[in-house]
Amino acid sequence: MSDILTIADLKELARRKVPKMFFDYADSGAWTESTYRANEEDFGKIKFRQRVLVDMSNRSLESTMIGEKVAMPVALAPTGLTGMQHADGEMLAAKAAEEFGVPFTLSTMSICSIEDVASVTTKPFWFQLYVLRDKDFVLNLIDRAKAAKCSALVLTLDLQILGQRHKDIRNGLSAPPKMTLANIVDLAMKPRWCLGIAGTKRRTFRNIVGHAKGVGDVSSLSSWTTEQFDPHLSWKDVAWIKERWGGKLILKGILDKEDALMAAETGADAIVVSNHGGRQLDGAASSISVLEEIADAVGDRIEVHMDGGIRSGQDVLKALCLGAKGTYIGRPFLYGLGAMGKEGVTKALEIIRKEMDITLALCGKRLVTDMGKDQLRR
């Protein structure tokens, strides 16, 4: 543990411990992966102003996201197949987030179900919704999230059509993995992962199997999911989802100012400036490069959050300076989970917290909520 100082350290440890198809699933983008790379690289172009001889005592990273108090303005992003990075992954990550004091967001395409996560947490978590063709199933998902007392619904807008991720196709991604010769050889080199998965009943998409019409087992799941993403999703759908949900609503996948202005008209509580981690439209702008324009346009009307490319506490602060009220991390916590389970998720959060705290001080600020454009070199 003492040798793990950065998110990159956790990534390399996860690479050694997680089967290739699942590590690649987390660590890849669409097509040429240019947007995936830009998400990280564009943070490096942003520079802080170093300030000296200011009182750095009594610093605080506490803030709020959609009115909820958070230990720092960082939430765990919704990520599919989290339970394939480590056995019972969503449950472990949710517990780590709760103990740390930050929100956890469960994906529709999770391995552990809404009910599984609710069974091991005491505080409300957030649920991410994909709008699928089977509207009865979507309505049931919303109702299950309400029954689990989820405190926010995160509606993903940018997956009407699935982007092509070459690594997933070449690896034959599936949950659980198919027993091909290549997979058997790979799994044989990951004995701890195999023991963990063998010791749990959670090995496929438990929000779907047994809940969606015609999906009673794993064999019927693949054909169902490929047909279900709905290209007809439009702005008018936000209204009925908002009405059915009745609680706080976050719209995820905004990357253009015009879409942000339309989102602000829906009555949603927040938007997430996001390009799906570079996994949808390759060649799109990085999230951080469009954040300021979007926040300037709608930040006084709707809360602005951001995800994509955050690999450090400094990245979080840069996003806050450019107008984000909160941020999300996906890959960093997945690397931690794959590397060391729940302890690894906590370690990822601790790394980001320490980097935020030190940077905050060296920028001459004591409260994270005071970070703004004047802390950046322009």
Side-chain angles (χ1 to χ4, degrees), residues 93 99 101 120 152 196 303 329 356:
E99 290 170 10
V120 297
E303 193 165 303
I329 56 169
M356 286 180 68

Side-chain angles (χ1 to χ4, degrees), residues 17-212:
K17 292 192 172 185
V18 177
K20 185 177 187 299
M21 73 164 62
F22 299 122
F23 181 83
D24 282 355
Y25 172 79
D27 193 50
S28 63
W31 286 332
T32 70
E33 300 189 336
S34 65
T35 299
Y36 166 50
R37 292 190 300 272
N39 272 350
E40 291 188 41
E41 292 166 357
D42 286 355
F43 274 103
K45 301 172 184 177
I46 303 167
K47 304 300 179 184
F48 292 110
R49 292 175 62 205
Q50 178 178 300
R51 303 302 305 277
V52 298
L53 295 179
V54 293
D55 184 354
M56 298 178 181
S57 62
N58 300 317
R59 295 184 304 280
S60 174
L61 300 179
E62 288 187 358
S63 186
T64 61
M65 294 175 68
I66 58 167
E68 296 183 16
K69 186 177 178 180
V70 293
M72 60 183 181
V74 176
L76 299 197
T79 56
L81 287 91
T82 301
M84 287 289 111
Q85 301 297 323
H86 190 286
D88 297 337
E90 291 90 356
M91 297 163 70
L92 298 179
K95 289 168 69 175
E98 179 177 306
E99 290 170 10
F100 203 89
V102 298
F104 170 79
T105 318
L106 181 69
S107 170
T108 291
M109 304 304 293
S110 59
I111 301 300
C112 302
S113 69
I114 298 170
E115 294 77 13
D116 288 332
V117 174
S119 73
V120 297
T121 53
T122 59
K123 296 179 182 177
F125 55 95
W126 299 352
F127 180 69
Q128 174 270 332
L129 178 72
Y130 285 125
V131 177
L132 307 172
R133 292 177 187 268
D134 184 344
K135 294 301 183 289
D136 287 339
F137 173 67
V138 173
L139 292 171
N140 180 250
L141 272 178
I142 294 171
D143 291 346
R144 288 167 61 197
K146 289 169 69 173
K149 302 190 185 320
C150 293
S151 58
L153 188 71
V154 180
L155 175 61
T156 294
L157 310 179
D158 59 358
L159 203 79
Q160 294 158 281
I161 295 174
L162 188 65
Q164 182 166 311
R165 300 101 187 226
H166 297 328
K167 290 177 183 175
D168 292 349
I169 295 172
R170 289 180 176 131
N171 289 331
L173 179 71
S174 64
K178 296 182 178 69
M179 287 296 101
T180 63
L181 178 60
N183 287 342
I184 290 170
V185 171
D186 185 36
L187 292 173
M189 300 174 68
K190 311 290 192 307
R192 288 188 180 181
W193 184 92
C194 292
L195 284 172
I197 294 297
T200 180
K201 60 186 177 182
R202 303 172 184 91
R203 304 188 191 104
T204 191
F205 301 100
R206 283 168 60 88
N207 280 329
I208 300 172
V209 173
H211 296 279

Side-chain angles (χ1 to χ4, degrees), residues 329-350:
I329 56 169
R331 291 179 176 100
F333 97 79
L334 290 179
Y335 298 146
L337 181 67
M340 298 187 295
K342 176 174 174 282
E343 186 180 27
V345 177
T346 300
K347 185 65 174 179
L349 290 167
E350 287 174 344

Side-chain angles (χ1 to χ4, degrees), residues 356-369:
M356 286 180 68
D357 180 59
I358 292 172
T359 303
L360 183 71
L362 296 176
C363 285
K365 294 293 183 181
R366 289 188 290 181
L367 303 179
V368 75
T369 50

